Amino acid sequence: PPHPAMRPAMAASASCLARPAAALSRRLLPCPCSTALLLEQRRPFTNWWQKWVDGKNPDSPNAAAVARLLRSEGIDPYKIPRDEIEDIRKQFLTQLNWFADKAADQTKKEDEAWKKLQEKKGHIIVRWQGMYKLPPPKKAEPKEAE
């Protein structure tokens, strides 16, 4: 049981929860017991980290290619720390701009750059495959026959 001195404060904070729904729409609610009640904030959009990793915000086709190629290797790019993913992007761009075939179309250049990067930094890719595995794909539930 709570200490007798805490009972009035607990009763006051419980009364804060009984306010009408319109008052609950604000993030912080003043409380008569001089405390504040922090409400959960819900956002209708995806995480900025996911957009950044996927090359959508800011728009970066090379970052999108790195994320796609990491997924093809079974690596979840969202789990990789920022400094490591920036480094692999930089190394991928070096391979793409300096060593890939200039006459090939973009997807062939990306694939060639990725193969050359795997030759040089394959130990990192193997380590990431163990550390940052993609979650198994969700199985579609069979529809019931009527």
Side-chain angles (χ1 to χ4, degrees):
H3 191 272
M6 293 297 293
R7 287 187 182 138
M10 290 174 61
S13 64
S15 68
C16 290
L17 294 174
R19 291 185 178 201
L24 293 175
S25 64
R26 284 177 269 145
R27 198 171 93 162
L28 290 174
L29 296 176
C31 183
C33 61
S34 74
T35 63
L37 179 63
L38 181 64
L39 296 178
E40 180 181 337
Q41 183 178 3
R42 295 180 188 251
R43 297 180 180 199
F45 52 86
T46 59
N47 189 341
W48 71 268
W49 173 250
Q50 293 172 349
K51 289 182 177 182
W52 183 80
V53 168
D54 289 335
K56 294 179 182 174
N57 188 16
D59 186 36
S60 174
N62 296 318
V66 170
R68 177 180 52 83
L69 293 167
L70 286 171
R71 285 189 186 98
S72 72
E73 294 292 327
I75 300 169
D76 188 356
Y78 300 144
K79 294 180 182 177
I80 300 173
R82 184 175 182 165
D83 61 332
E84 292 183 15
I85 202 161
E86 283 179 348
D87 189 48
I88 201 77
R89 283 180 178 180
K90 177 187 69 139
Q91 293 170 5
F92 175 75
L93 281 174
T94 301
Q95 296 299 321
L96 185 71
N97 293 328
W98 287 90
F99 303 108
D101 184 18
K102 307 283 188 225
D105 67 336
Q106 188 64 21
T107 55
K108 288 182 181 177
K109 277 178 67 173
E110 289 172 357
D111 291 339
E112 184 182 350
W114 185 252
K115 286 177 185 171
K116 290 183 184 224
L117 184 61
Q118 282 179 319
E119 290 172 8
K120 291 185 178 182
K121 301 294 180 178
H123 62 283
I124 294 173
I125 303 296
V126 171
R127 182 172 50 103
W128 285 356
Q129 287 172 338
M131 292 173 64
Y132 310 120
K133 291 181 183 176
L134 272 175
K138 295 179 182 179
K139 295 180 181 177
E141 295 185 23
K143 295 181 181 180
E144 294 179 18
E146 293 182 22

